[in-house]
Amino acid sequence: MTRKSEDAGRSTIRDVAARAGVSASTVSRVLGEVYPVSSATRSQVMRAVRDPDYVADARAKAVAGVGTPTLAFILEDITGPSFAHMAHGVEREARRLGHLCLVCTTEGDVQHEVEFVEMMRASVPPP
């Protein structure tokens, strides 16, 4: 019997490893795409990851230096129909590419814009 994480009963990386018959480190290597892993092992892990209860822990990925590419779409206002339509299109395309899109509104305040840009810069790991 595998243990579920405390977060909404989701599967943990250990649950995935147990289903795939590999170690948690191997699952991490497959998901992080950082180390070489045989195609057979990669296939086993990816089959186990398809469990609908498994959700990658963003905090763990951040600590490991493996994150989701993120972009900030900074707008003055999102309440107008053209802005909402634009934001929807940008978010949809970002998602299609596997990116996270943050929609930020400045409400016309330049300082808010500067803060958003600085938050994004701070979230980028050094090369």
Side-chain angles (χ1 to χ4, degrees):
M1 178 175 186
T2 59
R3 179 181 78 63
K4 298 283 184 168
S5 77
E6 305 306 317
D7 296 330
R10 295 184 299 214
S11 295
T12 67
I13 196 168
R14 287 183 179 90
D15 297 328
V16 171
R19 281 193 301 277
V22 299
S23 70
S25 296
T26 299
V27 174
S28 179
R29 288 177 176 173
V30 168
L31 297 178
E33 299 180 4
V34 178
Y35 298 97
V37 178
S38 75
S39 59
T41 300
R42 180 175 305 283
S43 294
Q44 279 177 254
V45 170
M46 293 313 292
R47 276 193 302 274
V49 166
R50 289 191 186 97
D51 178 337
D53 289 339
Y54 178 73
V55 177
D57 185 337
R59 294 166 297 192
K61 288 175 78 172
V63 168
V66 178
T68 300
T70 305
L71 66 95
F73 187 54
I74 303 172
L75 300 160
E76 180 177 328
D77 183 14
I78 196 168
T79 58
S82 61
F83 289 127
H85 183 73
M86 241 189 315
H88 176 74
V90 169
E91 190 279 331
R92 184 180 57 229
E93 184 64 10
R95 188 171 4 108
R96 186 186 72 75
L97 296 170
H99 292 38
L100 173 64
C101 178
L102 303 176
V103 178
C104 309
T105 57
T106 66
E107 300 175 3
D109 187 329
V110 174
Q111 186 57 38
H112 281 111
E113 184 175 341
V114 169
E115 290 169 2
F116 286 134
V117 170
E118 290 188 5
M119 280 189 273
M120 288 301 295
R121 290 175 108 179
S123 71
V124 175

